[in-house]
Structures are given as structure tokens and as C-alpha cells.
Amino acid sequence: MAGTNGKQKTARGMVLSLGVCVLAAGFVYVFLPRDGSAPDLKRVDYRVELLTARRAAAYAVAAPEGLPQSWKATSVRFDGTRSDEWHLGFHTPDGEYVALEQSAGKRSAVIEEASQGARETDVTEDIGGRTWVRYTGGRYDALVLAEGEQPAEATTVVAGTGSFEQLAQVARALRTG
């Protein structure tokens, strides 16, 4: 009989502890403020990395000029140890992502990585006097500068979740040093 009373106390204690935890969780849920909106992405200044890339890369590094202020640069990197890889990413005014990727690496690998699996289409566009090829079907859509249009020793890709109009807007704004 003594063992039964101890088990009842243990079970009652567990139920009371669970009740206290549920009340505490309910209090936190109801009374602590939370913001359901997306976090504000920090704008990065990419001028120093751009200058570094332009001095170090074996090709003419491009960057957009004249994009509206509402386009926020959010990521930038240059890796001279990995085929002079240049990356510049933007958050668009409507919440999409568009990135410029350039590299002296193997063309097919650069396109595959930048577009995250997109495949070449038969559609080409004349943007800023240069021919760009559309890629679709991957995580990102992409515009790839046609082989004859490339800077020497590089592949240039504009890719992201943005529309083809947004990708073209970045492609049109590209300038080299």
C-alpha cells in the first residue's frame, strides 16, 4: 500500500508540472510581442570588394551601375583562389533576389552553380547591345552572356528568383572597370 501512495504523488506532481509549463508557454505566446514581417536585410557596400576584384581577376569584372536605390545589395564576395569568382547579390523592391556571378571557371559548372540547376532554352535577348541566353527550370532563372560576348576568360551569369525583366535590368546596368 505504501508504494501506491508514492506513485500517485509522483503522477500528480508530473501533471502539475506539465500544467505550469503549459501556462508559462501560453503566457509567452499571448503577451510577448512578435513581428511576423521579414527581417530588414542589411545593405552592404561592395565598392572595396569590387575594386579588389577588378585589380586581381584575370577578366574584366562587371558590376551594375544606376540601379534604383530601392535595390539593396545584400551579399558580395570575390574569391581569387576559386577561379576568380565574383558574386554580387541584390534584394529587389518586391522581395526577390537577383545576383551577378562571374568566374574564370569551367563555363558549364559556373552556369550550373549560379542558376542552381537551370537549363538552357532557345530564347535569347539583346540587352544593352549584347546577346544573353535564357536558362530556366532550376532553383533560379538566369540570363547567361553568350560565349562570343563574354569578357576574355570569364562566364557572366545574372540569376535569381526575380523576373526575367529584373534579371535584364541588372544585365543592362552592367559595366566593367
Side-chain angles (χ1 to χ4, degrees), residues 2-101:
T4 305
N5 191 18
K7 288 181 184 177
Q8 286 176 343
K9 286 182 181 179
T10 302
R12 192 178 106 225
M14 285 177 45
V15 169
L16 287 174
S17 295
L18 181 60
V20 169
C21 288
V22 167
L23 284 173
F27 176 82
V28 167
Y29 179 79
V30 170
F31 293 105
L32 290 183
R34 55 194 176 278
D35 185 7
S37 64
D40 187 33
L41 297 172
K42 181 182 172 193
R43 182 182 302 270
V44 298
D45 183 357
Y46 58 89
R47 291 176 295 185
V48 171
E49 286 85 354
L50 178 59
L51 289 172
T52 300
R54 285 181 171 165
R55 286 183 184 134
Y59 57 86
V61 173
E65 292 180 7
L67 286 177
Q69 185 67 15
S70 57
W71 285 63
K72 187 183 293 187
T74 57
S75 58
V76 61
R77 73 180 161 276
F78 174 74
D79 189 345
T81 63
R82 292 192 60 210
S83 302
D84 289 343
E85 290 180 356
W86 168 244
H87 162 87
L88 182 56
F90 290 90
H91 187 77
T92 68
D94 62 351
E96 298 298 333
Y97 178 72
V98 176
L100 164 65
E101 307 284 349

Side-chain angles (χ1 to χ4, degrees), residues 75 77 87 90-91 95-99 101 110-120 135-143 157-164 166-167:
S75 58
R77 73 180 161 276
H87 162 87
F90 290 90
H91 187 77
E96 298 298 333
Y97 178 72
V98 176
E101 307 284 349
V110 172
I111 295 168
E112 173 74 22
E113 185 175 332
S115 69
Q116 299 191 11
R119 298 289 166 236
E120 184 175 354
Y135 280 67
T136 61
R139 180 171 174 214
Y140 295 154
D141 287 330
L143 291 173
V157 180
V158 177
T161 60
S163 67
F164 275 109
Q166 290 171 320
L167 300 178

